[in-house]
Amino acid sequence: AERLVAGRPPRFFRPSRANPPRLVSSTQARMPKVSKKVVAAVASEVGPLGSYVDGLVKQGLTRALGPGDRVPLEIFFNYALFSLCICLGIFTASRIISPRLFKGAMSHLKPFEVKIWHTNMVTFLPTFAVTFFALPAILKYSAERYTFIAPASAETLKATGMSLGYMTWDLMVLVFDAKDQMAAYGGVTPYVLFLFHHSFSIAAWPYAVSAGRCVYFVNYFLVSEVTNFNMSLRWYLMKTNREGGSLYFWNGILWIPLFFCVRVAVIPNLVDRYLNSDWSALGTNETWAARLLLPVPVMLNLYWFGLIITTAVRFLVTGSEGGHVEAAEGARGRAKSRKKAD
């Protein structure tokens, strides 16, 4: 190392007849950098849908990508299909059970809100299924701090499959029911943000976790799904006129620190790794993708957290998310009436 610093090449690299200097052509100099190959540290296992589906997944990957050992992708797709099946099951179960179990609460909903009721039931899935795998993945992650290259664990692959299976379902709902989804989520801006969020994740994460790229970041993006629970519960409480009740209040109060801890407090750490990790280890296309896509969830989390804080302050000041005292008094009155009826 001292000889390199001093400008003298070490003995083993000095040119000689036995070790002539290597000439690099201008064409070679212009060649894009090639990323390091990472061998996945996971073993093949039977997927949640059984060996028959495992075989179909493996056969599909072989036809699409050619022969080869693709255990990480197999695990990912097995759990993505499993997640899609659960989404369909929750949606179907809600259509059958909810009208009977929540008949009174659903009786005053608008027709499109009845449909949203069933699709929103599916949004509880990531809170439990994704976090179940993503949290252990974070705790087990042991690669050096400033690196983008590290093999994904089996927990990361499963969490990614569960998450993207849900996102694929939700993306189809957003696309095929655009008008009502915009009305449910507050207009065009949130709708478009969800479209981009889901699309970019579906496009980038499978490659990232199967090739061992930016796995640390993906782990944290996955575990942030735990905050979906409060958001989903809030919608149901609003639509059943429980904005004046204690459950609505505590759901919102607990949502703020949870969202902050999981999605906002970790941002300095993610930014530090983003700025100081070894970018030379990534290929040219990987570098561009990472530079453009890694900041997106961070910016979205800051945007959503700003909306949550603004709404919470408005609610604490006026008693209504819309900022109208009259609406707040009406919500409190409906809550008292329900208590008397109970």
Side-chain angles (χ1 to χ4, degrees), residues 168-186:
T168 300
W169 166 274
D170 201 46
L171 185 61
M172 291 189 293
V173 171
L174 290 169
V175 170
F176 292 109
D177 189 30
K179 182 179 178 181
D180 290 344
Q181 291 295 318
M182 286 185 200
Y185 286 104

Side-chain angles (χ1 to χ4, degrees), residues 286-303:
E286 294 171 342
T287 299
W288 278 105
R291 288 192 184 279
L292 292 173
L293 297 181
L294 287 179
V296 172
V298 172
M299 292 186 291
L300 287 176
N301 287 337
L302 289 174
Y303 170 77

Side-chain angles (χ1 to χ4, degrees), residues 121-142:
M121 279 291 178
V122 183
T123 62
F124 287 104
L125 172 64
T127 297
F128 303 102
V130 177
T131 308
F132 178 80
F133 295 113
L135 185 57
I138 289 178
L139 298 177
K140 292 180 181 179
Y141 186 86
S142 59

Side-chain angles (χ1 to χ4, degrees), residues 206-251:
Y207 174 79
V209 296
S210 64
R213 302 294 187 268
C214 307
V215 172
Y216 183 84
F217 294 86
V218 175
N219 281 337
Y220 270 96
F221 299 153
L222 288 168
V223 83
S224 66
E225 299 287 352
V226 71
T227 61
N228 281 16
F229 180 86
N230 303 79
M231 180 178 68
S232 300
L233 180 59
R234 171 179 169 270
W235 185 88
Y236 285 100
L237 294 173
M238 289 176 61
K239 293 305 174 181
T240 54
N241 295 321
R242 297 179 181 273
E243 293 173 87
S246 58
L247 180 58
Y248 184 88
F249 174 80
W250 285 109
N251 180 67

Side-chain angles (χ1 to χ4, degrees), residues 70-277:
R70 297 186 177 86
V71 174
L73 277 177
E74 291 172 16
I75 295 176
F76 162 75
F77 277 109
N78 285 335
Y79 278 82
L81 291 173
F82 181 51
S83 179
L84 275 170
C85 291
I86 296 177
C87 291
L88 178 60
I90 294 174
F91 176 75
T92 304
S94 179
R95 288 181 62 89
I96 297 171
I97 299 173
S98 290
R100 296 169 175 80
L101 193 60
F102 306 104
K103 184 177 181 180
M106 297 180 67
S107 60
H108 67 280
L109 295 178
K110 299 175 182 177
F112 87 91
E113 290 176 337
V114 173
K115 182 170 50 179
I116 301 297
W117 178 288
H118 304 309
T119 56
N120 270 6
M121 279 291 178
V122 183
T123 62
F124 287 104
L125 172 64
T127 297
F128 303 102
V130 177
T131 308
F132 178 80
F133 295 113
L135 185 57
I138 289 178
L139 298 177
K140 292 180 181 179
Y141 186 86
S142 59
E144 61 182 85
R145 179 172 180 82
Y146 295 113
T147 181
F148 289 115
I149 309 296
S153 64
E155 288 80 8
T156 296
L157 295 168
K158 293 173 184 178
T160 307
M162 295 299 296
S163 179
L164 296 192
Y166 159 74
M167 287 191 197
T168 300
W169 166 274
D170 201 46
L171 185 61
M172 291 189 293
V173 171
L174 290 169
V175 170
F176 292 109
D177 189 30
K179 182 179 178 181
D180 290 344
Q181 291 295 318
M182 286 185 200
Y185 286 104
V188 176
T189 300
Y191 174 82
V192 172
L193 288 177
F194 276 115
L195 284 180
F196 277 107
H197 174 269
H198 290 6
S199 299
F200 286 148
S201 299
I202 292 170
W205 289 5
Y207 174 79
V209 296
S210 64
R213 302 294 187 268
C214 307
V215 172
Y216 183 84
F217 294 86
V218 175
N219 281 337
Y220 270 96
F221 299 153
L222 288 168
V223 83
S224 66
E225 299 287 352
V226 71
T227 61
N228 281 16
F229 180 86
N230 303 79
M231 180 178 68
S232 300
L233 180 59
R234 171 179 169 270
W235 185 88
Y236 285 100
L237 294 173
M238 289 176 61
K239 293 305 174 181
T240 54
N241 295 321
R242 297 179 181 273
E243 293 173 87
S246 58
L247 180 58
Y248 184 88
F249 174 80
W250 285 109
N251 180 67
I253 291 297
L254 294 175
W255 189 20
I256 295 173
L258 178 64
F259 195 100
F260 177 81
C261 292
V262 175
R263 292 180 180 255
V264 179
V266 299
I267 289 177
N269 175 46
L270 296 178
V271 171
D272 175 51
R273 289 173 180 262
Y274 176 84
L275 295 176
N276 297 308
S277 290

